Amino acid sequence: MISGSATRITELGHAPADGESRVSAVVDGRPLWFASKDIDLIPQPEAFASALMLSTIHRSRPLEMDERVSATWIRNMDRLFDIWSRWWGYRIPKAAFGVREDQQPSTTASALAFTCGVDSFFSLLTGRKPDFLVSVHGFDVPLLDTVRMDAFASSVREIARETGTRSVVIRTNLRDHPALGPRRLWDRAHGGGLAAIGHLLSDHVREFTISSSYSSRHERPWGSAGETDPLFSSDRISILHYGVEHSRDTKLPFIARNALAQKHLRVCWHNTAEAGNCSRCGKCLATMLVLTEVDALEKFTVFDGPRVLRSRLDELPYLRNNMNVVQRIVNRGTLPRDIEIATLKLLRRSRRAAVIREYGSRLRAVLFPHA
């Protein structure tokens, strides 16, 4: 019996339009779609279910659809639910999917989810060479931001040419769809969104690699993790997670001498400049500090350069998300003395700001307990 509160995926199909291969479904009465001009996408039900599973569980809603799904995917979901319950305390609603017989994969090719970031460059340069570099318009870069996406896609095409791979761009309205829930939930849901891309490519690739955001030493509950990404796999596609042996500040020295990384590295998705890096935020500055350690910052034309680094450290009021990374850099004792002093001052400001935010959060909880 179908619950009235269930998230329903219906009308899954393939509908080419405007020169694009487009797969879509109706989710809670609204279209959810993925499209590409570079490759033919496959309307796999596991793609839509993977993309929406976390958000439906977060809202204690079962996920229902008419199409049958892989027995392998079902078994993996049971293990994934246990992890999500342990991490975030979710009570898993019952789900009833029709199950199909598992099939043999139709190819041995591989693809890498590619953002031009530190993690994906590290995977490209140190892992198995992929056949496809796959980028998504609608995840980090909003659908309406065509200027920045055009510059990003141009970078990926150049990298693909130079590495003998094939560039694929996929557009999607997933992050704008109401079924995904509030935007802050993307921190937990993005692993399923990335895995969905792999399922859509399952006629073309056997393995789809997602690069690690954190090392195994510093891993924490997060949407894309070494413990969870492989559990989005089905019989037709293996979702891999690569790079957990290294933290981001130890990955950077591996890519620092690479000319493509020097020209195309993007770490700052909040910036509106085509280069993709503001050279002012905490993430940019942490990256610039590591590149300073290995005497490579001047070669990275995507940043403003070593001459402004000290003033940018002084200008930043505080770090919100990169304190541990920056502290590890300082602890290594490899920065020039003036940069080290400016960085230590920034860390002190950041710790004071963190204490103030914590007190403010506790005060709001007391004054507005039901907010």
Side-chain angles (χ1 to χ4, degrees):
M1 181 176 178
I2 296 174
S3 168
S5 63
T7 294
R8 290 280 293 144
I9 301 173
T10 61
E11 301 180 37
L12 174 63
H14 187 269
D18 300 324
E20 289 185 311
S21 171
R22 179 182 288 246
V23 298
S24 65
V26 175
V27 181
D28 289 345
R30 299 193 184 190
L32 171 60
W33 54 265
F34 299 83
S36 179
K37 293 183 177 180
D38 300 318
I39 201 166
D40 192 34
L41 303 179
I42 311 303
Q44 292 288 352
E46 293 90 350
F48 289 80
S50 294
L52 297 173
M53 187 63 75
L54 187 284
S55 62
T56 60
I57 287 173
H58 182 80
R59 295 181 292 174
S60 300
R61 299 180 67 181
L63 182 64
E64 298 176 350
M65 58 185 169
D66 300 328
E67 291 77 10
R68 297 180 180 274
V69 295
S70 158
T72 296
W73 184 85
I74 288 287
R75 289 193 296 271
N76 283 336
M77 282 296 110
D78 288 338
R79 296 166 59 195
L80 184 60
F81 294 160
D82 289 340
I83 296 170
W84 285 346
S85 294
R86 170 162 46 89
W87 282 358
W88 294 306
Y90 288 136
R91 297 180 62 184
I92 308 300
K94 291 183 178 180
F97 297 112
V99 181
R100 63 167 172 80
E101 295 267 340
D102 277 350
Q103 306 164 359
Q104 288 296 318
S106 57
T107 179
T108 59
S110 65
L112 171 65
F114 196 74
T115 65
C116 288
V118 172
D119 302 318
S120 55
F121 258 117
F122 179 82
S123 298
L124 176 63
L125 298 175
T126 67
R128 172 189 173 185
K129 180 182 175 181
D131 298 282
F132 301 89
L133 298 182
V134 183
S135 305
V136 182
H137 186 189
F139 281 4
D140 293 321
V141 181
L143 277 175
L144 294 177
D145 190 347
T146 56
V147 172
R148 193 159 44 130
M149 188 64 205
D150 287 346
F152 170 41
S154 177
S155 287
V156 178
R157 285 193 295 269
E158 181 176 337
I159 294 164
R161 284 195 302 270
E162 293 296 322
T163 57
T165 56
R166 178 178 168 186
S167 171
V168 171
V169 175
I170 296 175
R171 299 191 309 120
T172 178
N173 70 335
L174 173 63
R175 288 203 68 179
D176 298 324
H177 198 284
L180 195 66
R183 293 195 71 80
R184 59 181 170 77
L185 197 59
W186 185 245
D187 284 354
R188 299 182 182 184
H190 69 272
L194 287 167
I197 302 301
H199 287 287
L200 297 170
L201 297 172
S202 58
D203 265 11
H204 309 281
V205 302
R206 177 68 184 96
E207 295 179 344
F208 184 73
T209 297
I210 300 171
S211 302
S212 63
S213 299
Y214 300 98
S215 70
S216 53
R217 283 187 61 194
H218 304 105
E219 202 163 35
R220 59 187 179 88
W222 186 243
S224 170
E227 194 174 358
T228 55
D229 282 351
L231 297 179
F232 287 103
S233 301
S234 72
D235 54 326
R236 304 185 75 234
I237 186 77
S238 293
I239 308 297
L240 308 181
H241 187 90
Y242 181 81
V244 294
E245 298 86 0
H246 299 270
S247 62
R248 191 165 296 169
D249 51 313
T250 60
K251 289 177 181 178
L252 263 169
F254 280 94
I255 70 173
R257 307 302 173 190
N258 182 267
L260 289 171
Q262 292 167 3
K263 184 177 180 182
H264 298 291
L265 183 70
R266 290 170 177 259
V267 302
C268 174
W269 289 105
H270 295 290
N271 185 36
T272 57
E274 289 189 9
N277 302 299
C278 69
S279 300
R280 295 176 183 274
C281 70
K283 194 170 183 182
C284 281
L285 291 174
T287 304
M288 294 166 73
L289 286 171
V290 177
L291 293 175
T292 298
E293 282 187 289
V294 296
D295 195 28
L297 179 57
E298 194 161 8
K299 297 183 175 69
F300 277 75
T301 56
V302 291
F303 294 108
D304 287 350
R307 287 189 295 275
V308 303
L309 179 55
R310 179 175 176 178
S311 64
R312 296 292 167 77
L313 290 165
D314 290 337
E315 291 166 4
L316 189 66
Y318 58 86
L319 295 164
R320 181 178 287 271
N321 297 315
N322 295 275
M323 278 195 289
N324 291 338
V325 172
V326 172
Q327 185 65 64
R328 290 199 300 271
I329 296 169
V330 172
N331 291 346
R332 290 197 287 266
T334 51
L335 291 172
R337 184 59 180 163
D338 62 329
I339 300 298
E340 180 181 354
I341 291 171
T343 306
L344 285 168
K345 289 179 179 178
L346 174 59
L347 284 169
R348 285 196 290 270
R349 295 196 300 274
S350 302
R351 293 191 189 99
R352 287 197 297 268
V355 170
I356 293 170
R357 288 198 306 275
E358 176 64 21
Y359 278 122
S361 177
R362 291 180 182 180
L363 182 60
R364 283 193 298 272
V366 172
L367 295 177
F368 308 103
H370 303 297

